[in-house]
Amino acid sequence: MLTDLHVHLRPDDLEASADRHFTVENVEGYTEVASERGIDVLGVSEHVHRFREALDIWRHPFWIDNAVDDLGAYCDFVRAETDLRLGIEADFVPGREDRIANLLEGGDWDFVLGSVHFLGDAAVDMGGEWDVWRTGADPDKVWARYFETLGEAARSGLFDVLSHPDLVKVWGPERPRPARDPRFHYELAMDGIGESDVAIEVSTAGLRKAAREIYPSPDFLIMCLEARRPVALSSDAHTPNDLGYRYEEAVELLDTLGVREIVDLERRERRLVPLGWES
Ligand SMILES: [Zn+2]
Ligand SMILES: [Zn+2]
């Protein structure tokens, strides 16, 4: 089987409104492409910061600008009018664990993705005024803080899956790289990951970005597998055409590393399904 459990029903820009994208017609566009590409399980995971309720967690100016939709309406739409798995991509905001838990308690999720997009107020994957690299930060410090935060996210127990686990590399050669061996930084996340029950997302989205690599890197993925963490396979699609993007490469990587099963999630219960295209 193949899953895609990290899917957005719209691009990230504010013009992509809920009205126009949380529709049966839009979802049909996704399910048609998924079936053409042999993807058996599709789960949607809208960004938490698009919903007004997110401001109970954090009032970052970027969130304030983006938090316009109603979380309950999104959940109702997915449950009542589609047969998609219902998920959400929730940021891990250190110190706000109780508030995150409160928001998550309000929904009957199939799965919750945990993402680290911000270090303090600075964004790891956004250019412009919030770009973490804008201030000339030391790359080793940025990477260390990113992976420490990722480990905390795992340890929080709030999430079923850690999304794009080495997102800090998203810019590839367009931003400074750490001088240290990246494995030093990965190690900073491993206590938290090893003590958690979280699944590790293998995401082909990095292949669409300047990083030109799957998330996570093989070295980091090997550490997670040694910590006996299961794998969730996703594309982080923001359009139907992104679904299952370059899955051949992800499946080959997982096969090389001896991974034969991936995660499916329903009502936050995890099961393992055999990995691969149905023959
Ligand atoms: Zn993300
Ligand atoms: Zn995403």
Side-chain angles (χ1 to χ4, degrees):
M1 286 178 72
L2 291 173
T3 61
D4 202 335
L5 291 175
H6 185 157
V7 173
H8 301 268
L9 289 173
R10 53 183 172 174
D12 283 338
D13 54 288
L14 265 172
E15 289 80 70
S17 67
D19 281 359
R20 275 195 294 123
H21 292 83
F22 300 165
T23 67
V24 170
E25 297 70 38
N26 188 41
V27 167
E28 278 170 3
Y30 282 77
T31 51
E32 277 166 25
V33 173
S35 78
E36 281 163 26
R37 296 184 184 172
I39 295 163
D40 307 279
V41 179
L42 209 53
V44 285
S45 53
E46 292 304 306
H47 282 291
V48 72
H49 70 248
R50 303 291 297 260
F51 301 103
R52 289 191 292 274
E53 291 80 354
L55 300 181
D56 295 336
I57 298 173
W58 199 29
R59 297 186 62 83
H60 188 290
F62 174 77
W63 284 30
I64 291 173
D65 289 345
N66 275 267
V68 297
D69 297 329
D70 182 79
L71 187 61
Y74 159 63
C75 297
D76 290 347
F77 164 70
V78 174
R79 281 282 180 237
E81 301 194 49
T82 80
D83 51 16
L84 302 169
R85 299 274 193 276
L86 172 61
I88 187 160
E89 181 174 9
D91 286 65
F92 177 65
V93 185
R96 305 293 167 94
E97 290 84 349
D98 289 351
R99 298 178 188 206
I100 299 167
N102 279 342
L103 180 143
L104 294 175
E105 267 167 28
D108 69 325
W109 311 107
D110 287 316
F111 63 92
V112 175
L113 307 181
S115 298
V116 176
H117 298 115
F118 287 90
L119 301 176
D121 283 345
V124 167
D125 64 338
M126 244 194 321
E129 69 173 312
W130 300 110
D131 188 343
V132 69
W133 300 106
R134 209 170 143 257
T135 55
D138 172 356
D140 279 294
K141 288 197 175 133
V142 171
W143 279 54
R145 186 161 177 204
Y146 174 83
F147 286 99
E148 283 163 7
T149 309
L150 187 75
E152 278 181 61
R155 203 192 297 271
S156 74
L158 290 164
F159 309 114
D160 301 305
V161 179
L162 281 188
S163 298
H164 39 58
D166 58 353
L167 180 69
V168 70
K169 76 179 177 191
V170 60
W171 296 105
E174 296 176 11
R175 296 291 189 278
R177 299 283 287 189
R180 282 185 183 267
D181 185 321
R183 283 172 294 188
F184 167 86
H185 297 295
Y186 306 153
E187 202 60 62
L188 299 172
M190 288 316 302
D191 279 352
I193 289 173
E195 289 164 22
S196 77
D197 190 37
V198 80
I200 302 302
E201 183 179 79
V202 168
S203 168
T204 55
L207 294 167
R208 301 196 298 271
K209 302 295 172 86
R212 302 267 173 253
E213 288 175 17
I214 287 172
Y215 305 115
S217 72
D219 283 345
F220 189 19
L221 181 55
I222 287 166
M223 290 181 182
C224 295
L225 296 173
E226 284 171 356
R228 309 193 59 78
R229 295 296 82 229
V231 165
L233 177 62
S234 301
S235 70
D236 204 349
H238 287 68
T239 67
N241 194 43
D242 292 338
L243 288 173
Y245 180 76
R246 290 168 67 177
Y247 262 19
E248 306 78 16
E249 289 163 61
V251 170
E252 192 187 319
L253 170 68
L254 289 168
D255 187 60
T256 305
L257 297 178
V259 176
R260 306 277 178 258
E261 294 177 312
I262 51 172
V263 158
D264 182 17
L265 286 148
E266 262 184 294
R267 309 279 172 175
R268 306 200 71 180
E269 294 283 329
R270 184 169 80 206
R271 67 181 182 125
L272 291 171
V273 297
L275 167 64
W277 278 269
E278 311 259 315
S279 44

